[in-house]
């Protein structure tokens, strides 16, 4: 039988998705369900003086108007790292669009009509709209109280010398003697860049349907990490985890933006209050008021020897994290660990800070802190190459870490061959070919400590007819986990792919999975599945040994058959039925991954980004066209090559969006472009003319068959690559994204003006 | 008001609130949830359905305006369980990831190929200007539609 793993088999969810049968959270409904609409703050920073709900409540069809005063007996906040986020604003609002009240009504229209009648009186507070404003002497403080901490690994925020400040978190990293290295340097190159505020635009906006039934809470939602949401909900309602069921059906896009708790507490509070199922479905504008990605200003100073070797790097990262913590502290920590590049750096200092500002809370988005720092770090390498008169490919060749080298002290050594990946990109770009005027190439590398903390479990059930159910808490959000994980199970059990069905992300039924993020599913969930399959096979062999009375060591299995001496071959169905003595029963295999054995050392793997682009710039308008895109998916082993290439092209395209068009703009207290007309994402016409998605399969990962994760890598270095290409095309280095026509045109003409 | 329409070949007579959009009508009243909603302002195309064969954004089209018209949604494309060639090409080309944009793209492709059975690649790209996909990077979608046109008019 052909082995499933390693082949581009069609997606198992494709049929449901092309026929419209696929069910997303937004498609769920319940009899007697109420619809919720959120009343949102129209101030960025203000005290709430009064909320007058009378007129709204009097509208026929309205069941309730809920404010934070109605949450008596509940824990009124959420947040998996810092529980600072009020479900509904408590006495004060901290950003434009913050939920202040919730209207429940029999129909969506009635709820929306009534929401307009809720009158909120505010007393304005001075606003902090930027990092500069947050740092000002005597700046107003966003948070003056200390909150509960969900995640103790962020202990620094719990330390005794805590005092209120707009610096939400600080993370530093240092080794060697940085100052001495700078004193001895042949060349010092300094670069400052600005990375824009982004909106992930998962096309299905956040939504949830909550039901309270017999003391248990059920929520169907757009959550990447249903198990993490379950914890927040259990704390709010003081329920045991077993009484909270969170289900994530197919997600209409995630890209990190659906990590952790978002709208679930609101829907759940509605259900708790009204004793009816409550559906809350946001629109795109409200989704932008729910989560965005951190903007960042990054300065890097690098010291080089005459040979072009890095001797030291010194980074300062400042992230604008918005009004509440959400996953911001972790994004900052990742930004700090991912900014300095996959280079050999004898002396390193990174100082990262994230700031509270009166803007939409920032959280995870594909790449998770990496793109922000990579833009500065890689442009800095290009500028250094120029200053030192070394080819930009060559300066990277000299400094890139080699397989097995240390990236971070105490961390897993590098499990990838970066110089080889770089050559693939340079060859695809035909990098030594001279380019005409207004044409340029750029490329870049990144290595991310991916995989997150390894906690994954998986269950395999072999049924009495030999068919198989795979249960996993990993969410299908488009990445194709349903298909790839089934391929792993089919390969391990030796059964046809078609006999494996996958059930995902239902905390009441599927086994625990920490998160679906950090590109971890194939590697960590995949390992758990391998172990679950081994467990199921072992159990079936023991059963055959017992029912056929042969020593267990004589029982073998391969290709979906269990064989015993004397030529007796049993199918799985026969093995199960024989032992149970009827056409009944099933065998359950369990697989566990934790911080032990092959995943004892963190990160579970390094996720590589290696990309290149060729661009052309329009002389009249400054419009940048990407003519060639090259990506290397350094994934160890591609369980499904087409899925990996899809991840790489998708990630790269999102990166191109940030590089060329995307930015959320605040005009005073309010976002100027909270919609997808004015927040421009890549469209079909923006597709590069030539796309070269390459795979590097060196079986150097810790996952099944040597696999490592993918999904974020191709995004991380795109911004820097495009900026470098544009810089070469116009002869002037950009210092910010997006490279809009207006900005590029200004750059092109600044020089002439200065002359 | 009561509207009379034919949805996916089935006559439907339904009283509906006049302010309902076509998306609300097909999703909430008829349970045809294959039609999705995202931008709500006619720029993303996930809500595309065909009204008398022409593509419209169901998010911004009043349901009362389909009175007397024929409506085709994504659910009306597959014929007795066998996929329409456009659907089959989307499966074969990995032209979807999360799938949220997929019904809109497929309905748009249907409208294009009805109008122009052998479009060039550029025709396809231009026709899809009103459809956003955030996952795939578009290339597989364009490939699928070009391939579907070849399958349908060999
Ligand atoms: S939802 Fe109708 S066009 Fe976007
Ligand atoms: S497949 Fe996800 S938006 Fe297109």
């Amino acid at each position: 039988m052909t082995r499933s793993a390693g082949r581009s088999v069609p997606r198992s969810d494709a049929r449901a998705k092309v026929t419209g049968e696929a069910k997303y959270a937004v498609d769920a409904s319940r009899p007697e369900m109420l619809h919720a609409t959120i009343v949102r703050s129209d101030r960025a920073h203000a005290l709430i003086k009064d909320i007058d709900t009378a007129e709204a409540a009097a509208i026929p069809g309205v069941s309730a108007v809920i404010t934070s005063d109605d949450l008596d007996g509940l824990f009124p906040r959420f947040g998996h790292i810092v529980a600072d986020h009020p479900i509904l604003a408590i006495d004060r609002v901290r950003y434009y669009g913050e939920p202040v009240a919730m209207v429940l009504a029999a129909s969506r229209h009635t709820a929306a009509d009534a929401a307009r009648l809720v009158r909120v009186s505010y007393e304005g507070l001075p606003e902090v709209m930027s990092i500069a404003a947050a740092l000002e002497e005597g700046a107003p403080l966003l948070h003056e109280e200390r909150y509960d901490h969900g995640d103790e690994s962020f202990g620094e925020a719990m330390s005794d010398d805590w005092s209120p400040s707009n610096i939400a978190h600080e993370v530093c990293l240092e080794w060697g003697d940085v100052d001495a290295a700078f004193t001895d340097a042949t060349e010092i190159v300094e670069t400052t860049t600005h990375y824009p505020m982004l909106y992930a635009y998962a096309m299905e906006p956040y939504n949830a349907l909550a039901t309270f039934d017999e003391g248990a809470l059920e929520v169907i939602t757009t959550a990447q990490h249903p198990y993490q949401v379950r914890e927040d909900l259990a704390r709010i309602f003081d329920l045991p985890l077993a009484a909270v069921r969170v289900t994530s059906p197919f997600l209409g896009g995630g890209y990190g933006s659906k990590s952790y708790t978002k709208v679930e507490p609101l829907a759940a509070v509605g259900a708790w209050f009204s004793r009816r199922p409550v559906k809350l479905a946001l629109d795109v504008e409200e989704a932008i008021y729910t989560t965005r990605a951190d903007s960042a200003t990054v300065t890097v100073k690098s010291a080089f020897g005459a040979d072009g070797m890095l001797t030291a790097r010194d980074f300062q990262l400042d992230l604008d994290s918005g009004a509440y913590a959400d996953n911001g502290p972790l994004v900052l920590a990742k930004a700090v660990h991912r900014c300095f590049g996959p280079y050999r750096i004898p002396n390193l200092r990174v100082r990262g800070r994230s700031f509270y500002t009166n803007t939409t809370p920032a959280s995870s988005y594909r790449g998770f802190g990496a793109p922000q720092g990579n833009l500065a770090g890689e442009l800095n390498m290009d500028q250094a190459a120029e200053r030192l008169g070394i080819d930009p490919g060559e300066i990277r060749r000299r400094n890139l870490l080699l397989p097995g080298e240390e990236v971070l002290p105490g961390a897993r050594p590098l499990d990838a061959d970066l110089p080889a990946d770089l050559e693939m990109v340079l060859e695809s770009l035909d990098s030594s070919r001279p380019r005409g005027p207004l044409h340029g190439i750029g490329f870049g590398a990144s290595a991310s400590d991916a995989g997150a903390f390894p906690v994954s479990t998986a269950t395999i059930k072999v049924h009495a007819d030999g068919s198989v159910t795979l249960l996993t808490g990993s969410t299908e959000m488009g990445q194709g986990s349903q298909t790839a994980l089934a391929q792993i199970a089919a390969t391990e059990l030796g059964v046809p792919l078609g006999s494996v069905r996958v059930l995902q992300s239902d905390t009441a039924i599927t086994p625990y999975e920490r998160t679906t993020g950090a590109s971890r599913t194939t590697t960590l969930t995949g390992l758990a599945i391998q172990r679950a399959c081994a467990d199921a096979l072992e159990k079936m062999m023991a059963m055959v040994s017992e029912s056929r009375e042969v020593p267990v060591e004589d029982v073998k299995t391969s290709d979906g058959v269990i064989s015993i001496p004397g030529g007796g071959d049993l199918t799985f169905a026969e093995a199960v039925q024989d032992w149970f003595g009827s056409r009944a029963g099933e065998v359950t295999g369990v697989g566990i991954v934790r911080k032990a054995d092959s995943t004892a050392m963190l990160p579970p793997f390094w996720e590589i980004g290696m990309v290149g682009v060729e661009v052309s710039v329009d002389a009249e308008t400054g419009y940048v066209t990407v003519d060639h895109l090259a990506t290397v998916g350094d994934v160890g082993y591609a369980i499904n090559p087409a899925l990996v290439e899809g991840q790489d092209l998708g990630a790269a395209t999102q990166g191109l969006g940030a590089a060329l068009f995307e930015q959320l703009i605040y005009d005073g207290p309010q976002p100027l472009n909270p919609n997808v007309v004015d927040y421009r994402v890549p469209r079909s016409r923006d597709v590069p003319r030539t796309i070269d998605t390459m795979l590097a399969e060196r079986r150097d990962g810790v996952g099944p068959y040597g696999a490592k994760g993918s999904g974020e890598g191709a995004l991380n270095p795109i911004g820097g690559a495009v900026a470098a290409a544009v810089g070469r095309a116009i002869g002037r280095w950009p210092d910010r994204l997006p490279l809009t026509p207006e900005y590029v045109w200004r750059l092109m003409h600044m020089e002439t003006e200065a002359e | 008001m009561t509207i009379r329409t034919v949805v996916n070949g089935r006559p439907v007579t339904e009283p509906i609130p006049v302010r309902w959009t076509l998306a609300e009508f097909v999703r909430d009243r008829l349970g045809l949830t294959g039609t999705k909603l995202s931008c709500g302002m006619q720029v993303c195309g996930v809500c595309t359905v065909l009204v008398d064969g022409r593509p419209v954004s169901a998010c911004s089209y009043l349901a009362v305006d389909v009175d007397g018209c024929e409506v085709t949604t994504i659910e009306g494309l597959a014929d007795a369980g066998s996929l329409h060639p456009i659907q089959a090409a989307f499966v074969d080309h990995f032209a979807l990831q999360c799938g949220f944009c997929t019904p809109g793209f497929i309905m748009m492709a249907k409208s294009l190929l009805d109008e122009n059975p052998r479009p060039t690649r550029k025709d396809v790209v231009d026709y899809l200007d009103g459809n956003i996909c955030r996952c795939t990077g578009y290339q597989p979608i364009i490939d699928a539609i070009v391939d579907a046109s070849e399958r349908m008019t060999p």
Side-chain angles (χ1 to χ4, degrees), chain A residues 203 252-253 255, chain B residues 95-102 105 132-136 141:
Chain A
M203 292 193 76
Y255 327 115
Chain B
L96 59 91
Q97 290 182 22
C98 79
F100 207 72
C101 69
T102 310
F105 271 100
I132 292 173
C133 173
R134 194 60 164 155
C135 292
T136 63
I141 296 175

Side-chain angles (χ1 to χ4, degrees), chain A residues 127-182:
Chain A
E127 292 137 359
V128 177
M129 299 310 297
S130 67
I131 291 176
L135 275 172
E136 253 169 45
E137 191 62 35
L141 293 173
L142 266 82
H143 296 276
E144 281 148 88
E145 69 182 282
R146 291 188 76 174
Y147 304 101
D148 282 16
H149 271 66
D151 186 336
E152 272 134 45
S153 55
F154 284 88
E156 92 272 7
M158 304 178 74
S159 67
D160 289 340
D161 55 8
W162 181 88
S163 67
S165 153
N166 286 330
I167 299 181
H169 291 276
E170 287 188 80
V171 179
C172 296
L173 180 67
E174 184 158 2
W175 64 71
D177 187 340
V178 175
D179 297 323
F182 274 100

Side-chain angles (χ1 to χ4, degrees), chain A residues 9 11 15 17-18 23-24 26-27 108-109 113 200-201 203 251 253 255 478 646-647 650 654 662 682-684, chain B residues 19 24 27-28 33-34 36 38-39 43 46 74 81 87 94 97-99 125-126 129 132 134-135 137-138:
Chain A
V9 300
R11 299 178 62 105
R15 198 185 168 89
K17 287 178 174 176
V18 299
K23 291 281 177 270
Y24 298 79
V26 74
D27 302 327
R108 243 191 327 261
H109 286 294
D113 290 347
Y201 190 29
M203 292 193 76
L251 257 55
Y255 327 115
Q647 282 302 298
Q654 282 185 3
E662 295 180 31
R683 306 180 81 99
S684 53
Chain B
R19 64 199 281 192
E24 289 174 299
R27 285 180 56 84
D28 301 344
T33 55
K36 298 300 186 222
S38 185
C39 74
V43 289
V46 304
I74 187 70
Q87 292 172 315
F94 290 79
Q97 290 182 22
C98 79
V125 168
D126 291 346
D129 200 42
I132 292 173
R134 194 60 164 155
C135 292
Y138 299 99

Side-chain angles (χ1 to χ4, degrees), chain A residues 732 748-755:
Chain A
R732 198 180 183 99
M748 289 161 75
H749 290 79
M750 214 172 351
E751 217 161 30
T752 21
E753 275 164 32
E755 273 162 14

